């Protein structure tokens, strides 16, 4: 029988934080691995396209300080996936610099493997011409134009690049964009644990205590791999794992309840069972990994314009009752003033009516007592966006709709200035699968941190 392999997941995303007490409890369990997912595409395409992190630098540094000092002092490997939020070259370097700062401040010495996951445009062009790229569901076919327009193109790497880095003796592994479970599953798979169990455990641990009850993205969780199962354990007295919470998180971010595709294979959960124990832990059995041709998901984002926003509210029941016709009339008046050739696109987000689900909102006849109105303008230049937003905001503010009583203004503005420049707008341009020989694409480089002449 294999000994237990313990994985400490400090937080749902690096920089989201965690209680020190929970982390200390996790370290008291003597984990074999400290791993964390550093990012996601959930915050949208801007951060990948702009090369910026969506997590705060001070928060990331705080979390990493705990992880690195504890890991290096005890000899426990520390593995970080999707560094900097999106995992492209600028995100990876941003996170690497934080690691180096902490090493200098704490006097740490260790070997760190850095795994870039950017994919050269020439490789993507060649793969497209060779028929080795296919779109995900509801995604249009890839074009050469989209490839060239994307400042950064990354691939979600699987466990193999992590395994090679760890096998080479890395104490810390810092990777670009990665399949979420990979940073958790690589070392146990390298040690001979079942790939299906390791990946399923990683799938849950990548969000740490979100999968517990009550869930939290800012608390630690422990995964304990065994030969034929794994156990999930909360590290705070405030929460516990239940069969329902663990099973529910298994469905998280999946289009199919039974199969989760990833690089080089599919996680098959058709025979999976969740066993709830009285001590607040859950044991999971039956997860399987099925090999398939090796594909990685490509991600890229391209600029499509500039955005300006105005945020306002109204509590006038007459205006609320006619808001659709009022907005239509305001848009017509703005178009008439600007004349033909206006390239700007104007969107109204009506929170309290259908601001979240828009045309999919089922409560179409519900009447709110107040509305939050977000005016969004996207144009070819920032100046154009500013102009159209200003004109749209002022036209709606003073528009004389039928039944209007007060004439001082239709809107309440919570902020001054009322119009906010939001800068460059990005849209996802690559969300496609590419068949690859991953061993040739994602090499690591080893750095000796804290050694004389390094850093």
């Amino acid at each position: 029988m294999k000994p237990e392999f313990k994985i400490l997941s400090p937080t749902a995303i690096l920089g989201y934080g965690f209680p020190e007490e929970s982390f200390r409890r996790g370290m008291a369990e003597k984990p074999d691995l400290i791993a964390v997912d550093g990012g996601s595409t959930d915050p949208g395409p801007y951060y990948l396209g702009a090369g910026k992190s969506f997590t705060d630098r001070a928060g990331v540094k705080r979390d990493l300080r705990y992880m690195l000092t504890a890991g290096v002092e005890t000899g426990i490997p520390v593995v970080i996936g999707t560094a900097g939020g999106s995992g492209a070259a600028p995100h990876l370097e941003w996170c690497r610099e934080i690691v180096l700062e902490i090493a200098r401040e704490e006097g740490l010495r260790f070997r760190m493997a850095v795994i870039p996951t950017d994919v050269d445009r020439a490789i993507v062009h060649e793969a497209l011409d060779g028929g080795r790229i296919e779109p995900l569901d509801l995604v249009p076919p890839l074009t050469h134009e989209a490839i060239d327009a994307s400042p950064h193109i990354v691939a979600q790497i699987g466990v193999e690049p992590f395994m090679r880095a760890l096998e080479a003796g890395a104490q810390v592994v810092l990777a670009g964009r990665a399949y979420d479970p990979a940073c958790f599953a690589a070392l146990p798979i390298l040690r001979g644990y079942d790939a299906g169990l390791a990946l399923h455990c990683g799938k849950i641990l990548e969000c740490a205590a979100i999968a517990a009850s009550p869930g939290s993205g800012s608390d630690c969780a422990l995964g304990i791999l065994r030969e034929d199962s794994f156990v999930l354990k909360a590290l705070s007295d405030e929460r516990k794992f239940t069969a329902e919470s663990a099973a529910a998180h298994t469905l998280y971010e999946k289009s199919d309840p039974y199969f989760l595709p990833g690089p080089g294979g599919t996680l098959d959960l058709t025979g999976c069972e969740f066993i709830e124990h009285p001590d607040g832990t859950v044991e999971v059995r039956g997860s399987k990994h099925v090999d398939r041709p090796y594909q990685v998901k490509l991600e890229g984002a391209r600029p499509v314009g500039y955005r300006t926003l105005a945020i306002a509210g109204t509590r006038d029941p007459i205006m609320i009752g006619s808001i659709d016709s009022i907005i239509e009339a305001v848009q017509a008046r703005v178009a008439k003033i600007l004349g033909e050739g206006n390239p700007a696109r104007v969107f109204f987000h009506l929170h309290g009516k259908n601001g979240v689900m828009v045309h999919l909102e089922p409560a179409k006849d519900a009447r709110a007592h107040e509305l939050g109105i977000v005016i969004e303008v996207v144009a070819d230049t920032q100046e154009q966006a500013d102009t159209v937003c200003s004109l749209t905001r002022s036209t709606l503010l003073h528009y004389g709709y039928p039944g209007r009583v007060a004439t001082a203004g239709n809107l309440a503005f919570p902020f001054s200035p009322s119009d906010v420049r939001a800068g460059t707008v990005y849209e996802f341009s690559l969300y496609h699968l590419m068949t690859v020989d991953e061993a040739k694409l994602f090499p690591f480089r080893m750095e000796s941190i804290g050694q004389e002449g390094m850093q």
Side-chain angles (χ1 to χ4, degrees), residues 49 119-126 128-129 133 142-153 298-303 426-427 429-430:
V119 183
D120 189 271
R121 289 189 188 89
I123 293 174
V124 184
H125 281 301
E126 182 182 1
L128 180 59
D129 288 336
I133 292 182
L142 185 59
T143 66
H144 291 290
E145 179 186 9
I147 297 169
D148 288 332
S150 305
H152 308 290
I153 299 174
L298 299 177
E299 296 170 353
R302 62 181 173 190
Y426 291 85
E427 69 177 12
S429 48
L430 286 94

Side-chain angles (χ1 to χ4, degrees), residues 416-438:
S416 177
S418 58
D419 300 357
V420 181
R421 282 187 167 193
T424 308
V425 180
Y426 291 85
E427 69 177 12
F428 283 116
S429 48
L430 286 94
Y431 227 67
H432 297 72
L433 298 176
M434 181 173 72
T435 301
V436 299
D437 180 348
E438 61 81 28

Side-chain angles (χ1 to χ4, degrees), residues 292-353:
R292 66 174 193 169
Y294 208 99
Q295 292 180 303
V296 293
K297 188 179 87 166
L298 299 177
E299 296 170 353
R302 62 181 173 190
V304 293
Y306 296 83
R307 177 182 285 125
T308 302
L309 303 171
I311 301 172
T314 182
R315 206 178 183 280
D316 180 351
I318 301 172
M319 183 178 185
I320 291 172
S322 304
I323 191 65
D324 290 335
S325 60
I326 291 171
I327 286 176
E328 186 177 340
V330 167
Q331 289 177 309
R333 182 167 297 180
V334 169
K336 185 175 182 180
I337 292 171
L338 292 173
E340 294 185 4
N342 170 36
R345 292 173 287 162
V346 182
F347 307 93
F348 288 85
H349 306 278
L350 304 177
H351 292 273
K353 182 177 186 293

Side-chain angles (χ1 to χ4, degrees), residues 43-192:
Y46 171 82
Y47 300 95
L48 175 56
K52 296 182 179 180
S53 173
F54 65 84
T55 47
D56 176 70
R57 193 181 195 278
V60 169
K61 187 174 181 180
R62 181 260 186 196
D63 291 358
L64 274 177
R65 189 184 300 276
Y66 278 105
M67 295 171 61
L68 291 171
T69 53
V72 172
E73 288 172 4
T74 58
I76 300 170
V78 177
V79 181
I80 303 150
T82 310
S86 299
H91 307 94
L92 186 62
E93 180 58 26
W94 179 83
C95 197
R96 176 181 171 273
E97 289 174 359
I98 296 174
V99 171
L100 298 185
E101 279 184 20
I102 295 168
R104 286 193 294 268
E105 293 166 3
E106 300 292 336
L108 303 178
R109 301 176 62 167
F110 52 89
R111 299 180 75 205
M112 179 170 70
V114 180
I115 310 175
T117 60
D118 299 76
V119 183
D120 189 271
R121 289 189 188 89
I123 293 174
V124 184
H125 281 301
E126 182 182 1
L128 180 59
D129 288 336
R132 298 192 304 277
I133 292 182
E134 59 186 83
L136 291 168
D137 292 344
L138 306 179
V139 175
L142 185 59
T143 66
H144 291 290
E145 179 186 9
I147 297 169
D148 288 332
S150 305
H152 308 290
I153 299 174
V154 294
Q156 273 195 353
I157 61 170
V159 296
E160 294 84 0
F162 290 101
M163 292 169 65
R164 288 192 292 269
L166 290 163
E167 197 169 26
Q171 165 73 53
V172 176
V173 181
L174 184 66
R177 186 66 170 122
Y179 179 47
D180 291 348
C183 61
F184 303 91
L187 184 56
I189 292 174
L190 182 63
R191 298 266 180 92

Side-chain angles (χ1 to χ4, degrees), residues 352-370:
K353 182 177 186 293
N354 60 359
V356 175
M357 297 186 69
V358 197
H359 63 280
L360 298 176
E361 174 57 58
K364 299 186 185 301
D365 297 327
R367 177 67 63 88
H369 72 278
E370 65 179 10

